[in-house]
Amino acid sequence: WSELKTDSSGLETVCLCSHRTHFGLLMDISRPCQQIDEPDNRILTFITYIGCGISAICSAATLLTYIAFEKLRRDYPSKILMNLSTALLFLNLIFLLDGWLASFDIPGLCITVAALLHFFLLATFTWMGLEAVHMYIALVKVFNTYIRRYILKFCLVGWGVPAIIVAIVLASTYKKSAYGKDLYGKDASRQGSDTFCWILDNTVFYVTVVAFFILMFIMNVAMFIVVMMQICGRNGKRNMREEILRNVRSVASLTFLLGMTWGFAFFAWGPLNLAFMYLFAIFNSLQGLFIFVFHCAMKENVQKQWRRQLCCGKLRLADNSDWSKTHTNTTKKASSDNLGKSLSSSSIGSNSTSWTSKSKSSSNTFFKRNSNTENVFTDKSSIKFAQADRKST
């Protein structure tokens, strides 16, 4: 923390630290941005640290919820969401600690912190991209699609690709590391700066961060458009107001799940730089909060598990309720006619879909990922549970 002031009075010395590194640093395409004045820099830093703190707490809450309640993590979408929440949790934590660790002035420690920050940033991008791949398989290749060890392969890509990229950067820049400590947070007059452990080499930054994100962003935008077309193509029986609210919730849910707000970095140029830096810092530092709200707190099955396990009195949901019995009920398999009817009469947010099982004779069934977002499919262990839940409802 580069700017240190002391105020001594009697036997007490108070140290005042000023840190001005905002979240836009991670995608600062201008490398580095020197167009932000001191007051705006402080505000952006305040937004970043409050947002990252809230996001870390919410990401941990999402992760703990799915770990604690086994019923919630039976389907593939929940497992993918858990990995994305893990990446976001560590990304926010490391960013919060980066400036403080940089103050120790230990080169090896700073390189390690910068490499970990790089890894979890890439892991976050990758898991958002895998969310899009998952939606593509669920929406476009629903029939006659089976992938063995689906989640295992996703994990190898989601964590393996970022690890390989960081390992290549460390190995190729061994003599002069691409990671290290630099000064950030200068205003338009080039005054004021803070030390931060991050990528020093511009080539490494543009190739492994910017180009990597552009690839994921294009894929996510394409999937976003496909899902929006599915939503707009539904002719539900709801009134106009309900349809509008449902579509708005679906758009907001997908926007944060697929990381659409990270695209604000591409518009942070010239006179628009400050406005988009504010948008980038607000929405991306709070991404963990939005994912928690739309993909955890607003899910009906999550709410019921919370009520069963965490609430007391009138708010507690009885263990012998209809919903709690669904895992013991047996249901008939849904026919392809009913599947098509369900898909055509409801929104993506209120339907669910599953891919075909390994046996060609088994029929496709739908699973509800959440009440506000896209169609997704379940793994085999949760199909009966999902069918029983719908029948009871």
Side-chain angles (χ1 to χ4, degrees), residues 207-317:
V207 172
T208 65
V209 176
V210 178
F212 187 85
F213 172 72
I214 290 175
L215 178 64
M216 295 298 171
F217 187 74
I218 293 174
M219 180 171 61
N220 289 3
V221 168
M223 196 63 243
F224 183 84
I225 295 173
V226 170
V227 174
M228 288 301 100
M229 291 175 63
Q230 292 277 354
I231 292 177
C232 295
R234 299 291 183 267
N235 295 318
K237 297 181 180 179
R238 304 179 180 88
N239 59 40
M240 182 63 67
R241 183 179 179 182
E242 290 178 342
E243 285 293 324
I244 293 175
L245 290 176
R246 174 183 59 82
N247 291 342
V248 169
R249 287 196 298 266
S250 298
V251 170
S253 177
L254 284 174
T255 296
F256 296 108
L257 185 69
L258 299 180
M260 297 292 99
T261 54
W262 285 83
F264 288 143
F266 298 134
F267 302 96
W269 293 91
L272 298 177
N273 175 71
L274 184 60
F276 278 98
M277 276 296 180
Y278 270 102
L279 292 174
F280 186 92
I282 292 171
F283 287 105
N284 294 323
S285 65
L286 290 171
Q287 185 178 8
L289 168 64
F290 294 121
I291 289 179
F292 171 77
V293 171
F294 288 111
H295 299 275
C296 186
M298 293 182 66
K299 290 181 66 174
E300 184 180 359
N301 56 343
V302 173
Q303 294 173 4
K304 289 180 178 179
Q305 285 286 0
W306 283 348
R307 289 180 60 187
R308 287 184 60 202
Q309 305 295 335
L310 304 178
C311 294
C312 57
K314 295 182 179 180
L315 295 177
R316 181 179 178 84
L317 187 67

Side-chain angles (χ1 to χ4, degrees), residues 318-347:
D319 292 339
N320 60 351
S321 64
D322 293 337
W323 184 84
S324 64
K325 292 179 179 179
T326 55
H327 68 283
T328 60
N329 296 334
T330 57
T331 59
K332 297 180 180 181
K333 293 184 179 180
S335 64
S336 58
D337 293 338
N338 291 335
L339 179 141
K341 181 178 179 181
S342 176
L343 181 61
S344 62
S345 62
S346 303
S347 69

